[in-house]
Amino acid sequence: MQFEFSVNSLDKISTDAILVFALQDKKEIKFLTDLKNFDKKLPNTLLKAIKTANFKAKRGETLNFYLGEDSLSKSIIILGLGEKNEFVADDLRRAVGVFAKKIHNKTVSVALQIPGDEITLAQKDAAQLIAEGLILGSYDFGKYKTREDNRKLETVIISGENSVSIKEGIEKAKIYTEATILARDLVN
């Protein structure tokens, strides 16, 4: 899996899906991703879709919202991280891991923003947890399986500043996940 950085906003990135993080905050849902550069109608349309689908932003819960033909991305996937006041760091890794399993064999590229001040994590730690969740959630021991559809998540595009701390978090995640995957392969 390759991690890339883009200074472009999410609406200007061509990808299969845009990952939007959301928290339950009392009775409302709070987006942790900046959607202001999208069509002005999008946030209201998303809120209507959330109400229609009865989306509660529980940890690992997803809502897929397909964008129009004029958009560079095919869809927005909202990923719930659970209650804001009960949020812990591992919730981010687990939710992203569940997301990675759900998009397995369906999505090749994803764009996202690292959540900022809304969660109580430094960007380096958030980047590490997201990368670990994506890599480990995408793991599939397929040595003895024949594949008809070999689509897997290959590219993760991080929108925003090309931060050294985010790169450090991703590199740390790659080391940890490489060791975990080796252990999984040895067990299988």
Side-chain angles (χ1 to χ4, degrees):
M1 184 177 306
Q2 183 177 351
F3 290 87
E4 299 176 359
F5 292 89
S6 175
V7 294
N8 293 327
S9 59
L10 289 173
D11 65 315
K12 301 216 180 346
I13 297 174
S14 179
T15 184
D16 289 341
I18 296 171
L19 179 59
V20 173
F21 298 103
L23 279 171
Q24 294 174 335
D25 190 12
K26 297 179 182 148
K27 294 197 180 219
E28 62 182 48
I29 294 173
K30 182 173 182 174
F31 296 119
L32 305 183
T33 304
D34 185 12
L35 299 174
K36 70 180 179 203
N37 290 326
F38 283 92
D39 179 8
K40 292 187 187 325
K41 298 176 186 173
L42 181 66
N44 290 333
T45 308
L46 276 177
L47 290 175
K48 287 179 185 175
I50 286 169
K51 285 183 181 177
T52 302
N54 202 21
F55 179 79
K56 301 291 184 198
K58 295 177 184 169
R59 184 181 73 197
E61 183 182 13
T62 59
L63 176 65
N64 203 343
F65 183 82
Y66 294 97
L67 298 171
E69 294 290 324
D70 56 338
S71 178
L72 291 174
S73 297
K74 295 176 185 173
S75 67
I76 291 179
I77 300 173
I78 305 171
L79 177 63
L81 299 177
E83 289 277 346
K84 181 178 182 178
N85 56 358
E86 297 174 5
F87 178 81
V88 293
D90 197 46
D91 289 344
L92 181 59
R93 177 184 15 247
R94 289 176 186 249
V96 173
V98 168
F99 163 77
K101 285 181 180 141
K102 286 182 180 179
I103 64 166
H104 188 67
N105 289 334
K106 298 175 188 161
T107 305
V108 175
S109 61
V110 170
L112 58 92
Q113 283 179 334
I114 303 294
D117 300 332
E118 299 87 2
I119 56 176
T120 56
L121 293 172
Q123 286 210 326
K124 175 182 177 180
D125 297 331
Q128 178 183 343
L129 294 169
I130 290 169
E132 286 177 9
L134 287 169
I135 294 168
L136 293 176
S138 299
Y139 170 80
D140 181 28
F141 183 74
K143 185 175 182 179
Y144 303 111
K145 295 179 185 177
T146 56
R147 302 256 183 215
E148 297 203 10
D149 186 10
N150 202 15
R151 291 178 53 127
K152 63 180 184 175
L153 184 59
E154 295 174 2
T155 307
V156 178
I157 303 167
I158 299 171
S159 173
E161 294 181 22
N162 190 350
S163 169
V164 172
S165 66
I166 291 175
K167 283 184 177 179
E168 288 174 359
I170 291 170
E171 289 306 314
K172 194 173 182 181
K174 286 180 179 179
I175 293 167
Y176 289 169
T177 56
E178 189 176 305
T180 303
I181 288 171
L182 175 63
R184 288 179 178 180
D185 287 345
L186 291 173
V187 170
N188 285 322

